[in-house]
Amino acid sequence: MSTSIAPALAADNSIFNTTQLDGKYQNSQASPANSSAWGILWRYVTERRVDATPTKAIPVLPLTAAALDALPVEQDSVIRFGHSSVYMLVGGQRWLIDPVFSQRTSPFSFIGPKRFHQPPLNLNELDNIDGVLISHDHYDHLDKYSIGLLKDKVKHFVVPEGVDQHLIDWGVKPERIQSLRWWQSAEFGELSITATPTQHFSGRGLFDGNQTLWASYVIDSPHKRIFFSGDSGYFDGFKQIGERFGPFDLTMMETGAYDKDWSAVHMTPEQTLQAHLDLRGQAMMPVHNATFDLAFHSWYEPLERISALSQQAGVELVTPKIGEVFKVGQHQPTEAWWRDLK
């Protein structure tokens, strides 16, 4: 399969271009003003939290590698593996987005947010994977353990600029990595993947803040067009992406881990809905929820709020269970499965 990097798409006409200051990447529209880590830690210690974690088992539909291989290649399909980890069969190719199979999203194995549920299958079972797509380098999106299991199996890794060095350090061969700036595209046969802007930040330690880029993605197959938001605060860039690439058959949108202390870099459900409308999306799948405790709201609040908002706005919301196959472009009813667990 041939691959190529397309030049920036009319980047000089966009107000949302990749910029750097003193070697650090910047958001084009606004600089996020987050509360200090100490202030947020103090809130975790002192604030009373309600239903931060589920008391009943989250439903997970078990999968096998054989079942994934048997999916019809002429039908684009997506499967949530948990949080923002998604399996895609697009244009006859099999891709993973932000695969995180570790028990915790943390630099340490013994402390940090722990999974509410297990993935629908063991990552060791997955051999038939064409590519991995990474949105940014935070621990709940870029998992060293998962990359280690995939590095010799996967043909292509698509990452924002700078994230390639993490992968190289972990043993991924450089020739397998495509590093993109915003508005650049990578072509894989008939499949096109374009990195698009988000309003977020990066870093895995105390001293590497914003040294790598963050991105959302447009995934264009011969059959359907899909958008993956990565992590982002709400900004006008969604409208520009929608004008350039929309409409989308499916948007997979960050819906969870929002808070007043980081409102510039994560969206409330109301903002998620507006971003979906800006993108000119058809069906919307909320991701970034129901797997890790990363905020102060209840674990089910993002799903409940986006469900009510979508119903009011007449937007097609799809909420498949973890491990459930969703066929893109088909009106496939899904359940409000979280309500039985509240």
Side-chain angles (χ1 to χ4, degrees):
M1 181 186 304
S2 62
T3 64
S4 63
I5 295 288
L9 175 65
D12 55 333
N13 295 326
S14 172
I15 61 171
F16 301 107
N17 292 324
T18 308
T19 58
Q20 285 180 286
L21 179 64
D22 297 328
K24 295 191 174 185
Y25 290 95
Q26 307 287 313
N27 286 298
S28 297
Q29 190 170 61
S31 297
N34 295 331
S35 294
S36 70
W38 289 113
I40 293 170
L41 179 61
W42 179 250
R43 286 184 62 196
Y44 270 105
V45 171
T46 59
E47 285 191 19
R48 179 177 179 270
R49 303 171 65 210
V50 178
D51 295 339
T53 60
T55 58
K56 299 178 182 178
I58 285 181
V60 176
L61 304 184
L63 292 168
T64 65
L68 294 176
D69 290 344
L71 292 172
V73 296
E74 66 277 4
Q75 168 67 56
D76 286 358
S77 300
V78 300
I79 306 171
R80 278 198 72 189
F81 277 11
H83 195 54
S84 294
S85 300
V86 178
Y87 177 96
M88 298 190 303
L89 175 58
V90 283
Q93 299 181 36
R94 302 170 193 277
W95 285 69
L96 290 172
I97 303 179
D98 287 357
V100 175
F101 283 72
S102 289
Q103 290 302 301
R104 297 184 186 271
T105 59
S106 167
F108 309 104
S109 62
F110 56 90
I111 194 171
K114 189 176 181 180
R115 304 186 71 92
F116 299 162
H117 63 83
Q118 294 305 308
L121 82 170
N122 192 308
L123 190 55
N124 284 311
E125 300 175 47
L126 280 178
D127 291 320
N128 186 14
I129 298 293
D130 292 287
V132 169
L133 190 59
I134 301 294
S135 64
H136 62 296
D137 72 0
H138 287 159
Y139 285 89
D140 58 323
H141 296 264
L142 177 62
D143 179 32
K144 182 179 180 180
Y145 166 76
S146 299
I147 297 299
L149 292 178
L150 292 165
K151 65 183 177 67
D152 296 321
K153 301 179 180 181
V154 174
K155 304 169 188 173
H156 309 290
F157 292 82
V158 177
V159 302
E161 191 172 64
V163 177
D164 51 320
Q165 190 58 54
H166 289 308
L167 271 58
I168 292 169
D169 291 344
W170 299 342
V172 178
K173 295 178 181 178
E175 59 269 22
R176 297 188 181 188
I177 305 172
Q178 305 278 16
S179 174
L180 302 179
R181 286 192 165 208
W182 294 341
W183 308 117
Q184 283 186 321
S185 298
E187 312 292 336
F188 304 92
E190 294 184 300
L191 182 69
S192 174
I193 296 175
T194 302
T196 43
T198 65
Q199 184 167 287
H200 202 54
F201 66 109
S202 67
R204 294 175 68 84
L206 296 176
F207 307 107
D208 64 345
N210 295 346
Q211 292 180 9
T212 65
L213 188 59
W214 45 94
S216 56
Y217 289 101
V218 173
I219 301 142
D220 207 353
S221 85
H223 311 303
K224 300 295 178 185
R225 183 169 290 170
I226 298 170
F227 179 79
F228 178 74
S229 71
D231 282 5
S232 183
Y234 178 75
F235 73 133
D236 291 342
F238 290 117
K239 186 170 293 185
Q240 189 170 104
I241 296 167
E243 290 170 352
R244 291 191 181 194
F245 293 100
F248 291 94
D249 299 283
L250 175 69
T251 68
M252 295 185 285
M253 302 297 293
E254 177 209 80
T255 316
Y258 46 83
D259 188 82
K260 62 183 177 64
D261 274 348
W262 49 85
S263 59
V265 294
H266 287 290
M267 294 184 284
T268 64
E270 290 80 4
Q271 292 170 323
T272 295
L273 177 65
Q274 186 58 56
H276 169 81
L277 296 173
D278 291 349
L279 290 160
R280 297 194 291 151
Q282 178 62 39
M284 175 172 62
M285 179 184 294
V287 297
H288 205 256
N289 56 62
T291 302
F292 298 107
D293 175 19
L294 300 175
F296 294 92
H297 55 64
S298 64
W299 73 268
Y300 52 77
E301 181 188 294
L303 292 167
E304 192 63 37
R305 282 176 62 178
I306 197 64
S307 179
L309 290 164
S310 298
Q311 188 173 11
Q312 293 168 11
V315 167
E316 181 185 355
L317 187 74
V318 293
T319 55
K321 296 175 183 177
I322 304 301
E324 182 178 355
V325 178
F326 177 76
K327 300 174 181 177
V328 181
Q330 296 193 12
H331 295 286
Q332 179 180 332
T334 55
E335 301 175 32
W337 53 263
W338 60 92
R339 289 179 180 156
D340 292 334
L341 313 182
K342 292 171 60 175

